[in-house]
Amino acid sequence: MRKTARYASLAAAGLLALSSLTACANDAASSTADTGSDSGGGKGESVKIMVGGLDKVIYLPAMLTQRLGYFQAEGLNVQLLSEPAGVQAETALVSGQVQGAVGFYDHTLDLQTKGKSVESVVQFSRAPGEVEVVSDKAAGDLTSPKDFKGRKLGVTGLGSSTDFLTKYLAVKNGVNVSEFTPVAVGAGPTFIAALQKGAIDGGMTTDPTVATILDKKAGKVLIDMRTPEGSQKALGGPYPSSSLYMQTDWVNGHKDTVQKLVNAFVKTLKWMSTHSADEIAAKMPADYSQGDKALYTQAVKSTLPMFTDDGVMPQGGPETVEKVLKSFNPNIKNAKVDLGRTYTTEFVDAAK
């Protein structure tokens, strides 16, 4: 589903209207990545990748790979495009607008039940990197997912991974998915404004939005899933989230290209594992910090524990994702999911 509004007004009535988003193929890829001086020219084999929010720290490896020049080193001309939510990146992929999507691995399971064969080819993370925050106004009464009943809870988009995880936390804590209202508010300024104006009582988001909320004292952290330990506590195991996933037929027909992409991403993950948050933040486009470099660096530091250093799917991760989705999604609950078809280690193994 594609958002046709960019949330210019965040009055409560407008936000509720946004919960029924309309689809429009021509609305894709409104934001093209600023490749920066480190990315080189436009020469090489062309690949388009849609990212579910280029400035989100959970998807940082996409732009960082471009900035480090690793795509160019592999002979690739990668165009990074951006959408506000992972569900929109998924839509762009399955409609053939792009060759790859950087988004949550859980979409590969959801799509399989809909007859689409999509697989993760390199796994960036072993935890969601997501945080459930609650507004200061609601913090006294909203102290755990048990209190979700009757609440308006922000998600990046309906059908997004933030939507999936919110529903799981609710069901796990005895609240039916019909007993609260998910509200599509995107991330960044739109999410923060919704929280401040009372259009949502809380919601799930990532850094740098989390860091900004805490800095503005607009809300508090309810559940932190930016680390493997946080994922274990909230979800019962590792939760592979951000990844590069592609349509299986395209992967099988373009293995050389996929290998080059994976090579580049694995180099980036290894680079991240040996550099500080300050060094990583310094490589990113200047506008990502929104004028506060220290706050952005803190956002990167808080989220770094979620990333793998080799692109390999964490052991037990697919099973955790399946358990989470089966808890609330009737399509998956009543379907037999072949987890072996939702990811491949062929390319990361070769990259190593």
Side-chain angles (χ1 to χ4, degrees), residues 144-315:
S144 84
K146 294 178 182 178
D147 302 319
F148 281 0
K149 188 174 181 179
R151 300 290 184 172
K152 291 178 290 183
L153 301 175
V155 297
T156 52
L158 302 182
S160 67
S161 296
T162 53
D163 190 21
F164 291 164
L165 288 170
T166 301
K167 287 175 177 173
Y168 172 73
L169 292 174
V171 170
K172 180 186 177 185
N173 288 276
V175 179
N176 193 283
V177 295
S178 64
E179 293 181 307
F180 69 93
T181 304
V183 184
V185 292
T190 57
F191 186 102
I192 296 167
L195 198 68
Q196 291 175 319
K197 294 182 179 183
I200 56 175
D201 301 302
M204 191 169 292
T205 190
T206 61
D207 277 312
T209 306
V210 176
T212 304
I213 288 170
L214 298 179
D215 184 61
K216 290 177 177 290
K217 296 181 170 48
K220 296 179 173 63
V221 171
L222 191 65
I223 299 171
D224 192 338
M225 296 179 285
R226 290 176 290 188
T227 66
E229 295 78 16
S231 178
Q232 180 71 41
K233 183 177 179 181
L235 306 174
Y239 196 93
S241 55
S242 54
S243 65
L244 172 66
Y245 62 88
M246 314 179 89
Q247 296 201 64
T248 301
D249 284 348
W250 198 91
V251 171
N252 291 338
H254 301 80
K255 289 198 172 188
D256 287 346
T257 303
V258 176
Q259 187 64 62
K260 292 174 183 177
L261 286 167
V262 173
N263 290 345
F265 279 125
V266 169
K267 286 179 189 176
T268 297
L269 292 168
K270 289 180 178 177
W271 188 92
M272 288 170 62
S273 72
T274 58
H275 289 75
S276 68
D278 290 89
E279 292 171 313
I280 295 169
K283 282 289 184 181
M284 303 306 286
D287 60 344
Y288 281 23
S289 66
Q290 297 181 3
D292 193 331
K293 292 182 179 179
L295 189 63
Y296 180 71
T297 299
Q298 180 57 49
V300 172
K301 184 177 181 179
S302 297
T303 306
L304 275 180
M306 72 175 277
F307 293 108
T308 69
D309 61 4
D310 55 11
V312 175
M313 176 65 72
Q315 187 172 4

Side-chain angles (χ1 to χ4, degrees), residues 21-39:
L21 304 173
T22 56
C24 176
N26 293 328
D27 198 33
S30 63
S31 175
T32 304
D34 169 17
T35 56
S37 59
D38 292 302
S39 66

Side-chain angles (χ1 to χ4, degrees), residues 298-345:
Q298 180 57 49
V300 172
K301 184 177 181 179
S302 297
T303 306
L304 275 180
M306 72 175 277
F307 293 108
T308 69
D309 61 4
D310 55 11
V312 175
M313 176 65 72
Q315 187 172 4
E319 289 78 11
T320 305
V321 173
E322 183 181 29
K323 177 196 71 175
V324 166
L325 296 183
K326 279 183 177 292
S327 72
F328 68 85
N329 187 323
N331 292 333
I332 294 182
K333 186 175 184 177
N334 300 319
K336 180 173 175 55
V337 178
D338 184 351
L339 293 177
R341 291 172 47 220
T342 61
Y343 71 97
T344 177
T345 61

